Amino acid sequence: MVWLDDLRGQGVRRSWPAGATVLHEGDNSDHVVIIEVGSVKVSLSSPAGRQVVLAIRGPGELLGEIAAIDGRSRSATITALSSVTATVLPGAAFRSLLMKDGARAFAMLRMVTERLREADAHRLELGAYAVLHRTSRLLADFAGRHGFVGRDGAAIQVPLSQAELAQATGASREAVVKALRHLRELGAVRTSRRRIEILSLDTLSMITDDLLPG
């Protein structure tokens, strides 16, 4: 996002190891975070302790903007999936930059609107599609946004455990294990500990578009 470049100039760099909490749901901080290197998960926890993964974010994406704008507590927890480096900008500086520049504020509005559309699409999938479809869509979406070529020159690696994938698709871990087994049999993915390698984006796309022969 080009409009974030000016924000970077007023922030400071910070790093977190994999598994560290970058932002915590319920905290009363208001700084924003721009991911430079690595990937994070955005999650919510129910009163019973069940975690739901709302999104996976990567380099070039802004986080924490809601609390910076409305002044309320953090609405979600941000956890590093890998080693993460980010630019951290105080909430006051962020708000000042938005108020001074209408183009930047409009770019921010477009980003928020896009995320609302993502949330609507996710709610539709939870009610209308099977776990195999939801798992394929999530992996394809992650690859399109944050993928990189693996050691063998063909694989895109997704640093999600099976439990995290289940939280992101709104399914049980057992259902996700079954879906991954099916995707392995189709030659679409290869799995290992906390790592999913996407071998065929075409196959994932055929599943999400309902084009795969029965």
Side-chain angles (χ1 to χ4, degrees):
M1 299 180 187
V2 176
W3 67 279
L4 294 177
D5 289 344
D6 290 343
L7 304 186
R8 290 182 171 96
Q10 297 197 33
V12 296
R13 288 291 183 101
R14 279 198 58 189
S15 296
W16 293 264
T21 300
V22 179
L23 298 174
H24 196 280
E25 180 182 354
D27 281 357
N28 291 317
S29 59
D30 70 348
H31 58 277
V32 298
V33 175
I34 305 170
I35 303 298
E36 308 293 356
V37 178
S39 56
V40 301
K41 65 177 180 180
V42 183
S43 63
L44 289 173
S45 295
S46 71
R50 181 175 179 270
Q51 189 180 73
V52 177
V53 175
L54 303 177
I56 308 297
R57 304 293 182 200
E61 297 206 67
L62 177 71
L63 302 168
E65 73 284 351
I66 294 177
I69 291 173
D70 68 13
R72 298 171 64 182
S73 60
R74 296 292 184 190
S75 60
T77 294
I78 311 296
T79 308
L81 290 172
S82 61
S83 296
V84 168
T85 299
T87 299
V88 179
L89 181 71
F94 175 69
R95 291 187 293 273
S96 177
L97 287 168
L98 289 182
M99 289 186 287
K100 288 178 181 177
D101 188 335
R104 187 184 289 113
F106 184 72
M108 171 72 188
L109 180 61
R110 289 191 65 175
M111 185 200 76
V112 172
T113 301
E114 180 181 349
R115 290 182 178 178
L116 287 173
R117 288 181 182 274
E118 287 179 12
D120 287 343
H122 184 58
R123 282 195 291 270
L124 172 63
E125 287 193 340
L126 289 178
Y129 294 102
V131 176
L132 178 63
H133 177 107
R134 301 197 313 254
T135 302
S136 299
R137 183 210 59 81
L138 182 69
L139 293 176
D141 181 67
F142 187 93
R145 291 171 179 269
H146 315 301
F148 57 92
V149 178
R151 290 189 299 274
D152 60 6
I156 297 172
Q157 299 180 348
V158 181
L160 288 173
S161 68
Q162 293 175 348
E164 288 166 334
L165 192 57
Q167 293 162 0
T169 55
S172 67
R173 186 176 181 277
E174 292 72 19
V176 167
V177 167
K178 182 179 179 180
L180 289 174
R181 183 185 305 122
H182 191 179
L183 292 175
R184 286 197 302 270
E185 292 169 351
L186 292 172
V189 304
R190 180 167 58 224
T191 61
S192 58
R193 185 177 181 276
R194 290 195 63 83
R195 185 70 59 179
I196 302 169
E197 294 179 286
I198 301 171
L199 306 178
S200 175
L201 278 171
D202 287 343
T203 300
L204 295 181
S205 296
M206 290 176 71
I207 294 171
T208 57
D209 294 338
D210 295 323
L211 298 176
L212 197 68

